[in-house]
Amino acid sequence: MDEDIRLGVLLPTGQGQWGEGTDPRRLVDFAVRAEELGYASVWANDSLLQPRVEALTMLAAVSSVTERVTIGTAALMPVLRRPVQAAQALASLDLLSGGRLAVAVGAGFPGRFGRPLYELSEVPWERRFARLDDTVALWRHIWTTRTASSYQGPVLRFDELPPGTAPYRAGGPPIWLGGATPAALARTGRLYDGWLPYPPDAADYGSGLADVRGAAAGAGRAPGAVTPALFATILITEDVAAGRRALDAYSRANYGLPLEVAETIQTMIAGPYEHVAERLGRYVDAGARHIVCRIGALDLSSQLDQLGRVIGLQESLKVKRP
């Protein structure tokens, strides 16, 4: 098993994270700075419900000015795009980045950030998980088929498919899943290349990862077939109280929820460096190896300041050896 701990960072593509009067083209500079500081990856999230730079457009811009970092979606909502067009866009992005793309996907969840997206896309909410898995299977079919073909899945059916653009890597970019329900854990182990959840309790992460690995073994996959990742909202502050106040403002601005509600749903950690490192260390001990950090700040200057602080956590997050 890979014992290295990798840190990634979410690009603040939402308009609410730029700050008033900020030129959004500075987001490209943010990605360049992340690479210079030693981050392993930069990520963009996806939505139609908040003003933001579209995820694949953002990553295309980033791919042209970086050389080493993985560029990824955290998470892409395939329902927002026509499936064949999305396969072409992702293959093109993998080509242009020299094979540096990782695609974390999700189906959405009930509430504000779920069903309304399906309504905007004129796609039924029902069978959304089957549709997600089928879309990923279609992408892989297109990426690996060099002649005209057809595709007949449980949800998607195409009698005539022209040859698609071949990605940089044989088989296409790795695809991760972001869910943590029992069904999602089983599907991750059987079908996906990585797991990117955000459970608020490290113990739940550990038990979930065990289920993912059990499902992978049951499907005859290699022990390291699924990358164990974590999505965590992070803020380094002078003390825990100040950090919680800042995360509360961030949560209300992004979700319309107070921190005490949001932190029961996802991983959110703020406070002095040692406190954040200790809390993240629990997830490392539970098996997480690639941590995607969303910085909980509401303007680009603060995001850039935190970018230099958060990368220091990588040195502290050592794997405990027997």
Side-chain angles (χ1 to χ4, degrees):
M1 182 178 66
D2 190 351
E3 296 298 299
D4 291 335
I5 305 303
R6 295 176 174 86
L7 286 189
V9 64
L10 188 74
L11 295 163
T13 56
Q15 193 169 10
Q17 285 120 42
W18 307 339
E20 287 293 327
T22 300
D23 186 342
R25 290 175 293 184
R26 290 187 61 199
L27 295 172
V28 174
D29 301 330
F30 184 100
V32 171
R33 182 60 179 154
E35 182 173 72
E36 291 172 347
L37 287 169
Y39 284 89
S41 56
V42 294
W43 303 77
N45 57 11
D46 197 25
S47 180
L48 291 177
L49 301 179
Q50 296 172 313
R52 69 179 61 248
V53 177
E54 192 274 330
L56 301 186
T57 304
M58 183 76 252
L59 295 180
V62 167
S63 74
S64 67
V65 295
T66 56
E67 297 179 355
R68 300 179 303 278
V69 288
T70 294
I71 58 173
T73 61
L76 191 75
M77 296 284 288
V79 69
L80 302 182
R81 298 162 180 83
R82 298 288 185 182
V84 176
Q85 181 272 340
Q88 177 87 338
L90 292 168
S92 299
L93 187 50
D94 194 52
L95 273 175
L96 293 173
S97 66
R100 291 187 285 133
L101 179 64
V103 185
V105 298
F109 47 87
R112 177 184 173 191
F113 296 98
R115 189 184 291 268
L117 292 171
Y118 284 74
E119 293 172 352
L120 286 169
S121 299
E122 299 181 320
V123 172
W125 175 249
E126 293 71 28
R127 301 191 70 194
R128 60 191 180 278
F129 301 115
R131 180 179 296 275
L132 175 64
D133 292 345
D134 207 18
T135 299
V136 169
L138 171 67
W139 290 348
R140 288 171 170 159
H141 171 84
I142 292 173
W143 293 338
T144 56
T145 304
R146 303 274 60 83
T147 60
S149 64
S150 64
Y151 179 84
Q152 305 296 323
V155 179
L156 304 175
R157 295 177 176 81
F158 297 92
D159 293 330
E160 296 183 14
L161 284 172
T165 299
Y168 186 89
R169 286 167 290 184
I175 304 181
W176 299 4
L177 187 64
T181 65
L185 299 175
R187 290 162 51 233
T188 301
R190 289 186 291 107
L191 304 171
Y192 290 85
D193 305 305
W195 184 47
L196 184 63
Y198 45 65
D201 190 327
D204 291 336
Y205 184 95
S207 61
L209 182 57
D211 289 345
V212 167
R213 288 175 171 162
R221 304 181 72 191
V226 181
T227 299
L230 172 74
F231 185 94
T233 301
I234 302 296
L235 195 66
I236 296 176
T237 57
E238 290 186 2
D239 55 62
V240 172
R244 289 187 62 80
R245 287 194 298 271
L247 279 191
D248 182 69
Y250 184 88
S251 179
R252 291 175 188 273
N254 280 275
Y255 299 120
L257 296 173
L259 176 61
E260 57 262 30
V261 174
E263 67 185 352
T264 67
I265 301 170
Q266 57 184 267
T267 311
M268 304 186 81
I269 308 170
Y273 178 92
E274 295 77 11
H275 172 77
V276 175
E278 189 276 330
R279 287 281 308 279
L280 280 181
R282 300 177 193 177
Y283 290 91
V284 171
D285 294 344
R289 294 294 177 267
H290 197 135
I291 301 173
V292 178
C293 302
R294 180 176 62 173
I295 296 172
L298 291 172
D299 65 83
L300 194 54
S301 294
S302 297
Q303 290 267 346
L304 284 164
D305 175 66
Q306 287 283 320
L307 191 66
R309 299 186 187 193
V310 170
I311 189 60
L313 293 166
Q314 186 163 275
E315 186 62 26
S316 298
L317 297 174
K318 297 294 187 181
V319 177
K320 291 182 179 178
R321 302 180 186 278

